[in-house]
Every structure is written in structure tokens, then in C-alpha cells.
Amino acid sequence: GAIAEFGVYKGDGIISSLFCHAEFIGWLNEQKVSDEKWRREVANKSPLNVTPTFHCLDTYDGMPENDEGAISFEQDTFHTDLETVKERIKENNPLNCKIIHYQGLFKDTSPQLKENLKNKAIAIANIDCDLMESTVDALEAIKDNIDIGTVLLFDDYNAFNGDQNKGQRKAFSDFQKNSNFVFEKFYTYHYSGQAFLLVGKAEDL
């Protein structure tokens, strides 16, 4: 599946993903020459041999105007420059994976994202856009391209002291209530990040 990142900033998240993917491919290639036949067969037939496309979405203008009340998320924080980010990612792309950049608000660039994805599933969506409204837009953009096994990463899930009525917690809670997707908590990371695994659909359970 594809990799999508909502909130690229300077590109650190995408760069980490690119190096993680390269490390995994190194391991997969080792399995192809294993002494164990079953490992060679599984590795050679694995759909993970297909190089994923990385989709990078951001305004690069910093945080939009908002009233969410966090000083770190005030308007214009996290401002950066698309061309600088492109160059930095290009220099840190060990397997030369395809990178597609989308500049603008998520609700404005989502048609282009959907067109590029077509019917392809998203394997990992890193939703690092902090704000409730932006998270709502990110989830709306990917809802038709996620399936069982998709991992959602919310970098600021525990912001606002974990208040369930604010930020990404609120956005994801509402998304779950209005969809038929079933998620389970997967793992926590950093000081406020939470991963979720899509494990089913309501009508299937």
C-alpha cells in the first residue's frame, strides 16, 4: 500500500519512513537467499516487494488560523518551504522511492490525492497535523483508501492533556462513530503519539 503523511513540516517523518522502508527491504532481500526454502518462497512472493509511493501533504505555510488554544499550534507556527523540503527528502531517499507532494489545505488537495491513489490502499497514514479540523480533513481524504491492516499514526493524539473533546482525539472519535471501521490501539510513541490498527468493518463482525 501507499504511505501518506499529513503535516510534513521539514520532512523528518517522511525521511524516517524512507529509511525504515530501506531497512525492511534489506531484511526482505536477505530472506530471499535464506537456507530455509519457505523463507525464500515467502520473500519472493511477498507483495511488499512493490515499492510504495509516498504522498506528502502540507500547506508549508504553517498552522492555519484556529481557536484550539495551544500556543504551539498557533497560526503560522511550523512554517517551512516546499522546495527546501523537497530537496531534503530527495537527499534522504536511499531506494529512490516515488514521492508526490501536495501543497495546500487537505480539503483542497484531497481530490488530487484520491486521483493518484485510485483504488490503491493506504498502508500507513501519518496524521501529524495537530489540529482537530485538519485531522477531520485528513481522515475524510483517506476514508475510501483504508482497509484492514492500515495503520493510522496520530502524532498529537495526547495533546491538550489528553482531553477527549479536543484535537486529534475528538476528530478520530467522531470519525469512528460515523464510519463502519473498527480500530484497535496499536502502540504509543513519543510523548503524545498513538497508533491505531484497522482490524475490521462493522458489518463483518
Side-chain angles (χ1 to χ4, degrees):
I3 312 296
E5 180 156 315
F6 294 83
V8 178
Y9 190 35
K10 295 182 179 180
D12 290 347
I14 287 291
I15 290 169
S16 292
S17 297
L18 288 166
F19 278 101
C20 283
H21 175 67
E23 183 178 355
F24 170 77
I25 291 299
W27 174 85
L28 188 64
N29 288 336
E30 289 177 358
Q31 305 311 298
K32 294 176 183 178
V33 293
S34 170
D35 293 335
E36 300 175 75
K37 180 181 178 183
W38 73 270
R39 290 183 183 273
R40 297 195 302 271
E41 290 179 348
V42 170
N44 280 300
K45 294 178 181 178
S46 174
L48 298 173
N49 284 295
V50 177
T51 303
T53 297
F54 289 74
H55 301 267
C56 307
L57 300 96
D58 204 310
T59 63
Y60 302 96
D61 291 329
M63 286 289 178
E65 183 179 357
N66 68 88
D67 58 0
E68 298 202 26
I71 190 170
S72 57
F73 303 153
E74 286 184 350
Q75 186 175 2
D76 297 330
T77 53
F78 301 109
H79 187 281
T80 187
D81 173 71
L82 174 58
E83 294 308 316
T84 300
V85 173
K86 279 184 177 181
E87 189 61 31
R88 185 164 180 253
I89 292 174
K90 183 179 179 180
E91 293 172 353
N92 291 278
N93 186 359
L95 297 184
N96 197 31
C97 295
K98 184 177 181 180
I99 311 289
I100 302 177
H101 294 272
Y102 307 77
Q103 184 173 17
L105 296 172
F106 302 148
K107 61 185 177 182
D108 295 334
T109 57
S110 63
Q112 184 184 357
L113 173 66
K114 292 175 184 290
E115 174 62 25
N116 287 331
L117 287 170
K118 293 183 169 52
N119 294 322
K120 194 172 186 65
I122 291 174
I124 301 172
N126 183 17
I127 303 176
D128 186 9
C129 51
D130 312 319
L131 303 175
M132 182 178 71
E133 184 177 355
S134 299
T135 302
V136 168
D137 291 341
L139 291 168
E140 179 66 22
I142 65 172
K143 68 179 184 181
D144 295 329
N145 294 92
I146 58 177
D147 207 340
I148 295 173
T150 295
V151 176
L152 300 184
L153 305 174
F154 294 98
D155 198 68
D156 295 280
Y157 187 76
N158 292 312
F160 304 102
N161 299 317
D163 189 334
Q164 64 181 355
N165 294 309
K166 292 185 177 181
Q168 294 198 313
R169 274 182 177 263
K170 173 63 172 171
F172 187 49
S173 176
D174 290 347
F175 177 75
Q176 291 180 89
K177 291 175 184 175
N178 295 317
S179 77
N180 65 337
F181 297 121
V182 179
F183 295 91
E184 289 183 357
K185 280 190 174 181
F186 199 14
Y187 58 87
T188 58
Y189 59 100
H190 301 319
Y191 66 93
S192 63
Q194 178 66 54
F196 288 86
L197 180 66
L198 203 170
V199 298
K201 298 180 181 179
E203 69 267 19
D204 298 334
L205 300 178

